[in-house]
Amino acid sequence: KREKGIRSARRRKREKISVIVPTLNEAGSVEKAIRSARRTTRGAQVEVIVVDGGSEDATVKRARSLGAKIVRSGRGRGLQQDMGSKAATGNLLLFLHADTELPRRYDSMIHEVFWNASRHRDAKHIWGAFGELGIRSKGPLLRCVEFGVKQRTKYLGMPYGDQCHFFHRKAYQESGGYKHIPFMEDYDMVHR
């Protein structure tokens, strides 16, 4: 059933997705994040915006080589994500941490969420995140964190930023956007 919904979402009008990636010395991971954002279904309109907080490594060079739009910013993920939203040209905003990869067909999944929501209410007031957080590193402590995140998301509806928050531009603007705070901007956002 999910596959059928994704296929039919491809045939409907698909809004442009702006993938916003805040970075600070992420040369080792930014390429995988950008490549995952470029891995879309046929016909998808996606722009990738890397908002750099003053990297001293090859982050910007690597991002630019993959065709990302570069925005310079001060440090702080909340500030960087907000700056990226202002540079975005798409109506669907997706915030991707540089050490995270998007799932295959993420664009179809997002379009399906907005299309289904529009059948019941105004899709311009919708936001969401991907339900799974997969941590690549091994170890029992990280498995516990992963399990806790899944439970919190499932039962409390409070996903971490690593789960890639996405918004319709109007919902993002009406929420006040990411606050320019030094950390826990994702926690702040899901509580508003």
Side-chain angles (χ1 to χ4, degrees):
K1 184 176 178 181
R2 181 174 172 79
E3 282 294 316
K4 185 178 178 184
I6 289 173
R7 279 196 304 273
S8 63
R10 280 191 223 138
R11 291 189 293 268
R12 293 186 282 275
K13 181 183 178 278
R14 296 158 46 118
E15 294 197 61
K16 184 178 191 177
I17 300 173
S18 295
V19 180
I20 298 159
V21 186
T23 60
L24 179 62
N25 298 321
E26 301 282 357
S29 59
V30 73
E31 290 173 298
K32 284 185 178 182
I34 293 170
R35 283 192 177 101
S36 76
R38 297 268 188 232
R39 199 175 50 222
T40 60
T41 55
R42 191 170 32 138
Q45 295 182 56
V46 173
E47 72 176 334
V48 179
I49 302 167
V50 169
V51 186
D52 191 69
S55 292
E56 297 174 356
D57 63 4
T59 299
V60 172
K61 181 180 177 183
R62 290 181 181 176
R64 187 175 284 125
S65 75
L66 292 172
K69 177 179 181 178
I70 307 299
V71 174
R72 305 282 182 169
S73 170
R75 291 182 181 190
R77 193 177 290 153
L79 168 64
Q80 289 172 258
Q81 291 180 144
D82 193 47
M83 295 285 293
S85 75
K86 291 178 172 106
T89 61
N91 276 331
L92 304 181
L93 308 176
L94 187 154
F95 297 90
L96 172 65
H97 291 183
D99 61 352
T100 304
E101 292 179 48
L102 290 164
R104 292 195 181 279
R105 302 168 64 138
Y106 75 90
D107 56 310
S108 291
M109 293 178 208
I110 290 172
H111 284 111
E112 182 182 7
V113 165
F114 283 98
W115 186 82
N116 286 334
S118 71
R119 294 171 40 205
H120 305 289
R121 62 181 184 186
D122 185 358
K124 292 183 172 95
H125 294 94
I126 302 298
W127 73 277
F130 294 99
E132 296 288 318
L133 172 64
I135 300 172
R136 276 190 239 136
S137 302
K138 304 284 186 235
L141 181 59
L142 290 175
R143 296 290 74 82
C144 290
V145 169
E146 193 174 65
F147 176 78
V149 167
K150 287 177 184 177
Q151 298 310 304
R152 188 186 73 202
T153 301
K154 181 177 179 179
Y155 295 111
L156 301 177
M158 295 186 312
Y160 278 161
D162 284 341
Q163 291 169 271
C164 306
H165 294 163
F166 55 86
F167 304 83
H168 191 281
R169 176 180 294 282
K170 186 171 182 178
Y172 179 81
Q173 290 169 337
E174 288 178 354
S175 75
Y178 281 106
K179 295 213 171 148
H180 301 185
I181 55 180
F183 61 94
M184 296 193 65
E185 75 293 332
D186 52 350
Y187 180 85
D188 171 71
M189 180 63 98
V190 300
H191 279 86
R192 285 190 264 141

